Amino acid sequence: MDGPIELPPEANPLSTQNLFNTLQAASSPYQQQVQTGTQQLQNWETQKGYYSLLQTLFIDNSLPVETRYLAIILLKNGIDKYWRRTASNAIAKDEKATIRSRLLDSGINEADPRLALQNALVIAKVVRRDVITSILDHLRSSSQSNANPLHLPRTLLILLQVIKELATGRLQRTRANLQSVAPEILHVLGRIYIDKVQTWRTFVAAGGDDEGGALESIEQSLLSIKVLRRLLIAGYEFPNREKDVQELWTIIRGRFGDFFYLVTEGSEALSPQVHQLVQKHLLQLSKLHIEMARTYPAAFALLPDSVGLVRAYWGLINNFGKTYGTNSAVVGPQVETDNDAEDQDKPVLERLCLKGLLLIRACIKMVFSPSQTFKYRHAAEKEEQKQATHLMKTELLTDDVVKEIMGTIVSRFFVFRASDLREWEKEPEEWEIREEGEGDGWEFSIRPCSEKVFLDLIINFKDLLVPLLLDVFATVSSPNQGTILFKDSVYTAIGLASSVINQNLDFDVFLNSTLVEEVQKQHPGYNILRRRIAILLGQWVSVKISGPNRPLVYQVFRHLLDNNDQLNDQVVRVTAGRQLRNVADEWEFSAEPFMPFAPDVLARLMALIEEVELTETKMALLNTVSVIVERLEHHISPYADKIVSLLPPLWTQSGEEHLMKQAILTILTRLITSMKEESRRYHSLVLPLIRSAIEPGSEIQVYLLEDALDLWATILVQTPSPASVDLLSLAQYLFAIFDLGNENLRKALTITESYILLAPREILDESFRHRLFRSFATLLGTLKLDANGLVTHLMEVIIRAAESLGGEQAIELISIGLVESGFLAKVFEGLRESWEAHQTTGPNKKYPSVDGIVETDYLAVLARLALASPRVFLASVKTVGTSRGESLEQVIDWLLIEWFSHFENIGNPDKRKLMCFALTKLLETGQSWILGKLQDLMTIWTDIITELQEGAEDQGGDSLVYWDREGLKPSTPEAPEDERRRNLTFSDPVHTINIMEFIRHHLKGAIANCNGQEAFQRDWLSNVDQDIIASFGRLNVL
């Protein structure tokens, strides 16, 4: 049999028995049965009664657990998709009622914990206020002494999931519903929590026979505090104002101390299971403290004894710090293990200390970042915020406490532990990545969290702490002062505080007198200091290292990357490689001082990339090389071949790691930009990579398209003419990118322009040209202003390119393509709509979709066509008009009216001059429809000439004409496309032809075509307003 047979619905109707059989098949160990069953279940998804039957099977305790589990999972997923009334194939109202009526009872009586959890999640998704009332009723009854012992934990589990779901609700109504029932839940659940804690605390203190009951009480009190923690945060807007909350907070405050004593001093009396549950209890309480401080800072400060609570946390942190670090800087198996992180008591203590640091940081933010912390709307809330800030300032963050916190952090938590040093030795890459970790990871580790607290303190207590920090620094700032680990911790503080203390510390002196010597010391443990010096230089380079000392910094990094020095272990070299990125990416970085060090630094970096194994490390080092490539610009050429040779193996090794491939494409982009036309020798390597990312159906397109387009665009910019066949062959893939219509469209249009500039003859070849025009016609009018303007701009460039290649004959081919593709039809349709709208006024005034900048862009395309060949332009107008049922004269009539009226809305001087040229060029036709617009022509002539002569020394000048073209060429190496663009600009009539001379030439021609001045005066000039003639006459055009 080739595959599973899928029966039509009528052959396998939905019934309890058929559903049971299908669930068994879908959960069987045989793949063919799983496929068949899964497909059938998907077929039933939208059938009425399917989800209530799933529930029926779930609540049948006689069925296998695997079948019931699959049933409740499918029910949960179906509720996600089909419960809302607005959903397609929504579950019917009567079926919803059936499901809802059985949820609570089935959940409360479910013995299997996994099934109970899934049922609780289902309840949470369909919860309504009446369901919460029923849960409360069950909570009351299940807490009675004669109740089924299963009911209370199951009810608590359901309530927990319901509160979780409601707490995440964004609608105000959802939160209001929760807040309306929160006091009643708190009253019932608070009493249960207090009773259960009292039960197991009595057992632990006095002993007894009912160990199982005590264990149940601990588990139930833990569930209760999980619910209460979320309820206090999500169920109240001002928790500090509620008496029940205040009372519970006071009780919890006392319990926190009791539980902490149990897991530290009294742990010998506890079984391992009880010990673990009490630890979990402690962590739940600490989470409540932090969430309250972050969500309701004023409430936290004003709740009973919160300052004392934070002080208690600090006492715990301070004591923990005494045994946190190690005294030995030697890395290896002989490193001391006393008080290491592997001690049994350490995990919970460390986690509590971490919570305490987070709590202290939240308190600092209350005082110094109130706008980000407090959310107040009324006077009472403002007053509470004021009280909270004052309380924290005067009773918690006193000078003595702040100094003590900073001292403890620097002297204890910035010091490495023995386990840190062992991991450095055993797993250097993994350790370095963890230490370098950014983002929100700092919340889960003591050292990075301490760094955040230290920064908050040094910034907000600058006057108090900077002198103390500098005093400590003075004790270790000479090469022979202080132990290695203490130096490392002080240097950590100096690096973090660089932006604060830069006016108080002469880092240049410190660099020359201390760091240069220390980085060369050959003593055990100095690899720790070498790593720190690399980080320190990366932190200070953008703050305060003078230009003359930059070469010294580069020399230090060259030394740290040398793998021949045994103290430069992998951690030291990788750290130096990472930090060098900050040095090279700094604003004042200059290539020349770095060049003497570039050969060694780049060679060592590339060797290190080959040495390390983890993709993340390779990417970080590759990013450093990428930045150096960008900053060295054309100076990178001698090292380019070696860099490029490194990339193909990295591409192959990366496999499905697309971030690495993105990094490779980025460095190639920067390398090609730096090398300019010399980069052509890498096309054989780069073009296949681009092709693999842009061709339709490519598996990697979704990950690499954006970076591949950047690289593609850069290659085109840096490629001199003529273009290779391989590069030209990529152009065909532009059409698929046009069809995507996403944010990459603009980049694709820019690439198209580069192709036109690089290889106009090939791009304007018949087969490619027709596809391109059809794509442009499809895009026109469907894009945002800037992207739409790119399309019309490209059409202008195409018209100019065609004219330079084949004159009027080529323009005629372009015109035919514009008509056949529908591009011109869209242009005229938009302009016609705009003209019609501008004829309306008052209440019935219409507003066209084509107006303003878009209309200017449309008219610019017509202007380029008319300027290149009035004959071809008129033929195109006639063709388009005929297709619309209008004669040439009819189209020209409304078109000129709209064109001249729009002129005053054109802000770009280049566009204004272009339009003036095109309309003036039409005088060559000698037709009455243009001669009859002589007054409009004279008006724009006067405006344009006056505008372009403004500030000119001679009256016949034109500010848009480039006279000194040689002076506009750059003195430094430029990209080949820069030259192509400059040549395009220099050959533009707008920038080569004097406006006054152009008007003079065509006006004289028009007069001659009218059989002389007298006939011209009689037939046309006599119809022009005398003031307009006088203004024009003063320009001395004729």
Side-chain angles (χ1 to χ4, degrees):
M1 189 177 293
D2 294 333
I5 299 175
E6 181 184 333
L7 296 176
E10 59 272 13
N12 196 17
L14 179 62
S15 66
T16 305
Q17 187 60 46
N18 284 343
L19 180 57
F20 171 70
N21 294 337
T22 306
L23 288 172
Q24 280 199 310
S27 57
S28 78
Y30 303 107
Q31 187 62 32
Q32 187 174 351
Q33 291 187 25
V34 171
Q35 291 179 0
T36 305
T38 301
Q39 186 58 57
Q40 184 60 66
L41 290 169
Q42 290 174 354
N43 293 342
W44 280 332
E45 266 190 8
T46 56
Q47 285 199 33
K48 185 176 181 180
Y50 170 62
Y51 292 104
S52 56
L53 277 179
L54 282 174
Q55 189 186 37
T56 298
L57 293 177
F58 165 70
I59 62 180
D60 187 345
N61 294 325
S62 65
L63 299 181
V65 171
E66 291 76 12
T67 304
R68 297 177 63 212
Y69 190 77
L70 180 57
I72 192 64
I73 290 293
L74 292 171
L75 176 59
K76 183 181 69 172
N77 296 341
I79 285 173
D80 274 338
K81 291 171 65 176
Y82 302 115
W83 192 266
R84 293 187 303 277
R85 286 178 297 176
T86 55
S88 178
N89 301 306
I91 299 173
K93 189 175 181 180
D94 56 340
E95 189 175 3
K96 284 183 181 181
T98 301
I99 293 171
R100 192 181 276 115
S101 67
R102 299 185 292 186
L103 280 173
L104 270 180
D105 287 341
S106 61
I108 290 169
N109 292 292
E110 178 55 59
D112 189 290
R114 292 185 309 153
L115 299 179
L117 174 60
Q118 296 303 321
N119 190 75
L121 292 171
V122 172
I123 295 173
K125 291 180 183 299
V126 302
V127 69
R128 293 191 315 194
R129 180 158 181 166
D130 58 334
V131 175
I132 298 178
T133 303
S134 298
I135 294 173
L136 273 171
D137 291 340
H138 281 287
L139 198 61
R140 291 188 184 94
S141 60
S142 61
S143 62
Q144 300 300 315
S145 57
N146 59 348
N148 186 325
L150 181 63
H151 286 182
L152 181 57
R154 294 295 179 259
T155 306
L156 289 171
L157 178 64
I158 292 169
L159 185 58
L160 174 62
Q161 300 307 324
V162 168
I163 299 296
K164 276 187 179 181
E165 184 72 22
L166 293 177
T168 59
R170 295 184 178 181
L171 296 177
Q172 183 60 35
R173 184 183 63 183
T174 303
R175 296 187 68 85
N177 286 340
L178 177 59
Q179 289 174 2
S180 66
V181 297
E184 191 174 0
I185 297 175
L186 178 62
H187 181 75
V188 176
L189 188 57
R191 177 49 52 192
I192 293 173
Y193 170 72
I194 292 168
D195 289 346
K196 293 299 176 182
V197 170
Q198 186 61 42
T199 299
W200 66 261
R201 283 289 287 116
T202 302
F203 178 84
V204 169
D209 299 329
D210 191 12
E211 184 176 352
L215 198 59
E216 284 183 1
S217 295
I218 298 178
E219 291 173 343
Q220 290 167 13
S221 67
L222 181 59
L223 259 180
S224 300
I225 197 60
K226 286 182 178 181
V227 179
L228 288 169
R229 173 168 73 83
R230 292 169 173 85
L231 183 69
L232 292 181
I233 302 301
Y236 294 90
E237 193 167 2
F238 304 102
N240 59 297
R241 302 179 187 177
E242 302 293 330
K243 184 179 179 182
D244 285 351
V245 175
Q246 294 173 8
E247 292 177 354
L248 181 63
W249 185 266
T250 302
I251 293 170
I252 287 174
R253 168 71 181 89
R255 293 303 183 194
F256 185 79
D258 293 344
F259 299 157
F260 183 74
Y261 175 82
L262 276 177
V263 299
T264 53
E265 305 299 328
S267 58
E268 294 180 0
L270 304 179
S271 68
Q273 188 175 6
V274 171
H275 191 272
Q276 185 180 32
L277 288 171
V278 178
Q279 286 183 351
K280 289 182 178 180
H281 212 129
L282 265 174
L283 293 172
Q284 286 296 319
L285 294 179
S286 65
K287 287 180 181 180
L288 170 61
H289 299 151
I290 294 170
E291 288 168 6
M292 185 66 76
R294 287 177 171 177
T295 310
Y296 301 111
F300 172 82
L302 298 176
L303 281 167
D305 197 32
S306 288
V307 171
L309 175 68
V310 182
R311 284 182 175 273
Y313 269 109
W314 172 242
L316 169 64
I317 296 167
N318 202 5
N319 287 329
F320 177 69
K322 294 175 182 177
T323 57
Y324 181 80
T326 180
N327 296 321
S328 173
V330 179
V331 182
Q334 73 272 26
V335 73
E336 65 178 61
T337 58
D338 294 339
N339 299 317
D340 203 358
E342 294 175 356
D343 290 349
Q344 292 297 317
D345 291 338
K346 190 58 80 57
V348 70
L349 292 177
E350 185 166 338
R351 291 169 72 182
L352 287 174
C353 287
L354 180 59
K355 302 296 183 187
L357 288 170
L358 294 172
L359 190 59
I360 289 171
R361 189 162 193 240
C363 293
I364 295 171
K365 286 187 174 296
M366 284 184 211
V367 177
F368 296 103
S369 302
S371 60
Q372 300 172 17
T373 306
F374 293 100
K375 301 171 185 177
Y376 50 77
R377 293 173 292 275
H378 304 295
E381 295 163 60
K382 291 182 181 180
E383 181 59 32
E384 286 183 349
Q385 181 235 328
K386 185 177 177 181
Q387 292 176 18
T389 302
H390 178 75
L391 190 66
M392 288 296 165
K393 236 182 209 180
T394 57
E395 296 190 22
L396 178 64
L397 299 175
T398 62
D399 288 356
D400 289 342
V401 171
V402 168
K403 288 190 287 187
E404 187 180 14
I405 293 174
M406 190 197 77
T408 300
I409 287 175
V410 173
S411 63
R412 296 173 185 172
F413 294 127
F414 284 176
V415 177
F416 284 120
R417 294 178 296 180
S419 59
D420 293 322
L421 301 181
R422 280 201 305 277
E423 288 170 15
W424 175 326
E425 179 73 15
K426 292 178 182 178
E427 299 179 336
E429 279 192 67
E430 291 85 349
W431 184 89
E432 191 276 337
I433 288 173
R434 283 198 302 273
E435 287 296 308
E436 187 63 27
E438 297 178 354
D440 292 333
W442 62 269
E443 294 195 7
F444 306 102
S445 183
I446 286 279
R447 194 191 325 277
C449 185
S450 298
E451 291 179 358
K452 295 289 186 182
V453 176
F454 170 80
L455 265 177
D456 288 341
L457 292 174
I458 201 74
I459 289 171
N460 295 302
F461 294 93
K462 178 180 177 180
D463 294 338
L464 175 66
L465 297 182
V466 167
L468 294 176
L469 180 60
L470 293 177
D471 287 344
V472 175
F473 173 69
T475 66
V476 298
S477 59
S478 296
N480 299 315
Q481 289 180 307
T483 64
I484 292 174
L485 290 176
F486 188 59
K487 268 181 179 283
D488 180 78
S489 65
V490 176
Y491 286 4
T492 300
I494 293 298
L496 292 171
S498 58
S499 61
V500 179
I501 65 173
N502 61 83
Q503 298 301 318
N504 307 91
L505 174 63
D506 191 335
F507 194 83
D508 285 330
V509 172
F510 176 52
L511 171 63
N512 283 274
S513 65
T514 303
L515 295 185
V516 171
E517 182 178 342
E518 286 184 337
V519 84
Q520 299 177 75
K521 283 196 172 187
Q522 295 291 331
H523 300 301
Y526 263 81
N527 54 335
I528 295 173
L529 219 50
R530 291 187 179 194
R531 170 185 174 271
R532 179 57 55 193
I533 289 171
I535 297 172
L536 194 59
L537 292 175
Q539 292 167 323
W540 272 86
V541 71
S542 61
V543 179
K544 194 180 180 183
I545 296 181
S546 63
N549 277 310
R550 296 300 172 100
L552 193 55
V553 172
Y554 308 147
Q555 187 177 350
V556 169
F557 276 96
R558 180 176 65 180
H559 171 68
L560 292 175
L561 288 167
D562 183 7
N563 66 348
N564 293 317
D565 189 321
Q566 291 185 351
L567 283 179
N568 291 336
D569 60 22
Q570 196 175 75
V571 169
V572 171
R573 287 180 286 123
V574 170
T575 303
R578 279 188 191 266
Q579 295 301 321
L580 186 58
R581 179 191 181 280
N582 296 332
V583 174
D585 208 21
E586 200 272 321
W587 176 258
E588 295 182 6
F589 179 86
S590 177
E592 286 73 16
F594 184 75
M595 289 310 298
F597 309 95
D600 289 340
V601 167
L602 286 169
R604 290 167 183 177
L605 272 174
M606 289 182 283
L608 185 57
I609 291 173
E610 293 182 291
E611 175 189 331
V612 297
E613 297 178 356
L614 299 181
T615 299
E616 187 174 342
T617 309
K618 288 180 182 288
M619 284 177 55
L621 297 172
L622 197 63
N623 191 24
T624 298
V625 175
S626 181
V627 170
I628 293 174
V629 166
E630 183 179 39
R631 300 309 299 269
L632 290 187
E633 297 179 331
H634 60 279
H635 297 290
I636 196 64
S637 295
Y639 322 106
D641 288 347
K642 175 61 178 175
I643 295 172
V644 170
S645 69
L646 185 70
L647 301 180
L650 287 176
W651 183 278
T652 304
Q653 294 166 15
S654 64
E656 299 298 315
E657 189 61 62
H658 300 297
L659 288 175
M660 172 61 86
K661 289 183 168 67
Q662 289 175 355
I664 292 171
L665 293 178
T666 299
I667 195 172
L668 284 170
T669 301
R670 290 174 170 176
L671 192 63
I672 288 169
T673 300
S674 297
M675 295 189 64
K676 298 186 168 41
E677 62 183 72
E678 289 184 47
S679 64
R680 193 165 190 167
R681 65 179 185 262
Y682 302 128
H683 284 197
S684 60
L685 166 69
V686 175
L687 296 183
L689 298 182
I690 296 174
R691 187 187 303 273
S692 68
I694 63 174
E695 58 186 352
S698 167
E699 294 181 359
I700 61 175
Q701 186 184 85
V702 65
Y703 307 104
L704 302 182
L705 179 59
E706 185 175 349
D707 297 282
L709 289 178
D710 285 335
L711 179 57
W712 189 7
T714 301
I715 286 177
L716 289 168
V717 168
Q718 304 297 344
T719 299
S721 300
S724 67
V725 174
D726 289 339
L727 183 56
L728 289 171
S729 68
L730 292 180
Q732 62 181 308
Y733 298 114
L734 285 167
F735 301 110
I737 301 172
F738 291 158
D739 293 339
L740 291 177
N742 55 19
E743 64 275 6
N744 293 312
L745 175 61
R746 289 175 178 80
K747 205 166 290 181
L749 292 172
T750 302
I751 289 172
T752 305
E753 182 179 13
S754 293
Y755 267 114
I756 297 168
L757 295 173
L758 175 64
R761 190 176 300 277
E762 291 81 358
I763 295 301
L764 296 183
D765 184 68
E766 183 177 2
S767 59
F768 193 88
R769 182 181 72 237
H770 288 326
R771 290 184 69 188
L772 190 62
F773 284 8
R774 285 195 297 271
S775 293
F776 285 175
T778 302
L779 293 172
L780 193 68
T782 64
L783 308 173
K784 293 181 179 179
L785 288 181
D786 55 341
N788 200 75
L790 277 175
V791 174
T792 55
H793 168 73
L794 285 178
M795 199 55 75
E796 288 188 64
V797 175
I798 287 171
I799 293 170
R800 290 194 55 206
E803 184 181 15
S804 66
L805 289 171
E808 189 173 45
Q809 184 179 0
I811 292 297
E812 192 158 13
L813 292 174
I814 294 296
S815 171
I816 292 170
L818 290 175
V819 171
E820 291 179 348
S821 66
F823 186 92
L824 270 187
K826 267 195 171 183
V827 169
F828 277 96
E829 181 183 347
L831 293 173
R832 171 79 185 194
E833 180 197 348
S834 192
W835 172 74
E836 290 175 348
H838 293 151
Q839 310 309 305
T840 62
T841 58
N844 297 321
K845 181 174 176 60
K846 296 179 181 178
Y847 296 92
S849 57
V850 174
D851 205 357
I853 295 175
V854 176
E855 185 171 358
T856 301
D857 293 337
Y858 282 12
L859 289 171
V861 175
L862 300 184
R864 288 292 180 188
L865 204 55
L867 185 58
S869 172
R871 181 187 65 79
V872 172
F873 169 72
L874 292 176
S876 302
V877 173
K878 183 176 180 180
T879 304
V880 173
T882 301
S883 67
R884 296 173 54 86
E886 296 178 289
S887 66
L888 172 64
E889 289 74 16
Q890 287 175 313
V891 176
I892 284 292
D893 181 54
W894 65 257
L895 177 61
L896 290 180
I897 292 173
E898 182 62 22
W899 205 332
F900 280 113
S901 67
H902 181 71
F903 211 90
E904 63 182 19
N905 296 323
I906 303 172
N908 188 316
D910 291 33
K911 297 284 189 191
R912 287 168 63 83
K913 185 176 178 181
L914 172 64
M915 307 285 187
C916 179
F917 274 180
L919 292 168
T920 304
K921 184 86 171 176
L922 293 177
L923 287 173
E924 293 180 1
T925 65
Q927 296 296 316
S928 59
W929 43 261
I930 187 62
L931 289 168
K933 298 293 184 182
L934 191 58
Q935 178 165 310
D936 293 319
L937 280 169
M938 282 190 168
T939 300
I940 65 171
W941 288 341
T942 303
D943 289 346
I944 292 292
I945 292 174
T946 303
E947 178 184 350
L948 298 185
Q949 287 184 352
E950 188 175 346
E953 294 181 2
D954 61 298
Q955 190 176 10
D958 184 334
S959 61
L960 291 180
V961 174
Y962 296 141
W963 302 107
D964 182 19
R965 298 183 182 180
E966 290 299 319
L968 293 174
K969 293 183 179 179
S971 57
T972 55
E974 64 175 341
E977 186 171 295
D978 292 340
E979 184 177 358
R980 292 192 286 269
R981 288 185 180 276
R982 188 172 60 253
N983 292 336
L984 182 72
T985 300
F986 285 170
S987 63
D988 190 345
V990 172
H991 298 296
T992 58
I993 300 176
N994 182 284
I995 184 72
M996 185 177 287
E997 293 174 1
F998 187 87
I999 293 170
R1000 180 184 295 121
H1001 171 77
H1002 285 84
L1003 187 54
K1004 285 182 177 180
I1007 292 172
N1009 290 337
C1010 291
N1011 298 318
Q1013 179 75 35
E1014 185 177 343
F1016 183 76
Q1017 171 72 33
R1018 180 188 66 245
D1019 296 337
W1020 306 111
L1021 195 58
S1022 60
N1023 298 319
V1024 179
D1025 185 275
Q1026 291 301 308
D1027 290 339
I1028 292 175
I1029 295 174
S1031 297
F1032 180 69
R1034 285 193 289 272
L1035 298 175
N1036 297 320
V1037 174
L1038 294 177

